[in-house]
Amino acid sequence: CGIFGAIGVADASNFVALGLHALQHRGQEAGGIVAHDPEHGFNSAHRFGYVRDNFTKPEVMATLPGPLAIGHVRYSTAGTKANTAIRDVQPFFGEFHMGGCAIAHNGNITNAAALRRELIERGSIFQSSSDSECIIHLMARSIQRNIPERMKDALRRIEGAFSVIAMTRTKLIGVRDPLGVRPLVLGKVGEEGFVLASETCALDIIGAEFLREIEAGEMVVISKGQIESSRPFGPSTGRFCIFEHVYFSRPDSIIGGRSVYETRRQIGVELAREAPVEADLVCPVPDSGTPAAIGFAQESGIPYGMGIIRNQYMGRTFIEPSEQIRNMGVRLKLNVNRALIAGKRVVLVDDSVVRGTTSRKIKDMILDAGAAEVHFRIASPPTAWPCFYGVDTPDRDKLLAANMTPEEMRDWIGVDSLSFVSLDGLYRAVGEAGGRNAACPQYCDACFSGDYPVAPFDQLERGFRM
Ligand code: 5GP
Ligand code: SF4
Ligand code: MG
């Protein structure tokens, strides 16, 4: 999901709408904005579909006045999936005796089912199927006297990944979980405005200045132009999601002081070194494979070309929750540039193989177009484990790499060769010259390694075996 908040600007909801539009790649099912204004109190709008189709309309935006607003774009990884219900669309809102509080959450709470059970037994009335709603109910049970303190109480009971942006009548709050799995950045806009956003690309769109990242385990409370920072969970070492670098974030964002584009290009360089191949053309599977393909071409000296053209009016296929739509999605979204491909030995570079459906379809399309050979190079290690921290990977039985050897995968996809970047190669590309520190990994890489930094409590209860 994508989250954004603004304080200290006129019509904060407009900033939020623009910020969410820049974060649309993080969630395309639905979006919501809550705004506060001393005269009109809290107001909210929750809509299915793209930000640009909802939060540009004057009749929607006019209902969201005020200098303080937060918003969320949804990509369902927990709660109802096939059909998102509008009640699952964030931000969520709670009314406490010290005032209201709206929250927007990115990540997955790994003990949400257990917490929900306990909270319902004790009288909480849930409105949604979302894991994030637990935060509001835990806050309601806290005996602390102000909302930031209640939020700390609540978040200390929560396990898993959470970047949260919240607002009260007067405060904008940002928090990252102790491992800082999902991103969150702080920016400055105008004379006395501040913004919080999932990624820096959302600061650029409103001309905000990037100040810094919120640190792993940090909470910031912003009001009246002042930023107060605290560490509610004690000291911790971050383990940021390495897959944000590979796929999830936008290439024009800066994460951990690094350009996402440059990291992806560097993964392509690593791939060309680890798995060279004789070929005539390097093609990205757009858009997610593009920077890595550029790096592969530069390092190998093989010419780069756009062998696959993407229809810009289709969203991210993987983000479609139903299998059927996802299957159609590949052809609706990608088409082969026949004139370029015919007769050539082609290296196709993509970011990841999850179920393998994308790769197989693309291979068919490339061969139909008359390619002489097809070689797949993948800018991540084999995805052999599900993510429980906010990326919607399927169960192990649907993950190609969990069920096949690399040779079986090559055969199943039907290509002349298939190689994945090594885990160490990926770490080198994100700037860890010595590769992965096995004793104390610098990132979360559980979907590749099976090394889960937070035991996924609910999943273990359901019989998942690490
Ligand atoms: P597959 O067809 O193998 O299941 O999916 C791989 C494709 O989905 C790749 O082209 C990749 O760009 C995309 N993808 C991989 N992981 C994710 C993810 O977590 N979220 C989204 N939205 N797309 C993904
Ligand atoms: Fe990111 Fe993979 Fe860890 Fe999920 S399991 S947080 S996708 S690195
Ligand atoms: Mg892709």
Side-chain angles (χ1 to χ4, degrees), residues 287-356:
D287 291 327
S288 48
T290 302
I294 291 171
F296 193 102
Q298 288 169 340
E299 181 66 13
S300 66
I302 303 168
Y304 172 92
M306 289 169 66
I308 300 171
I309 304 298
R310 155 144 190 224
N311 181 328
Q312 295 300 336
Y313 301 94
M314 271 297 288
R316 285 186 152 184
T317 42
F318 193 101
I319 254 156
E320 296 292 348
S322 100
E323 187 109 3
Q324 202 185 354
I325 297 177
R326 214 173 23 239
N327 282 344
M328 276 185 12
V330 178
R331 262 189 307 141
L332 298 184
K333 185 164 115 172
L334 303 175
N335 193 22
V336 173
N337 177 359
R338 286 174 178 268
L340 181 68
I341 293 287
K344 298 216 173 83
R345 296 169 299 172
V346 180
V347 183
L348 287 176
V349 183
D350 202 356
D351 63 278
S352 54
V353 171
V354 181
R355 299 170 193 77

Side-chain angles (χ1 to χ4, degrees), residues 181-182 241-243 386-387 389 391 444-447:
V181 174
R182 305 259 76 92
C241 166
I242 204 162
F243 194 60
C387 173
Y389 310 132
V391 169
C444 175
D445 53 24
C447 47

Side-chain angles (χ1 to χ4, degrees), residues 3-53:
I3 53 178
F4 192 94
I7 188 168
V9 291
D11 290 321
S13 57
N14 284 321
F15 286 77
V16 173
L18 285 166
L20 292 179
H21 174 63
L23 296 173
Q24 191 84 75
H25 61 287
R26 299 185 68 87
Q28 306 178 336
E29 287 163 45
I33 298 180
V34 171
H36 183 272
D37 167 89
E39 193 181 333
H40 304 91
F42 287 97
N43 283 287
S44 65
H46 297 85
R47 295 285 190 278
F48 293 118
Y50 289 127
V51 175
R52 61 151 198 258
D53 296 330

Side-chain angles (χ1 to χ4, degrees), residues 208 213 315 383 398:
E213 292 190 5
T383 305
K398 296 213 180 61

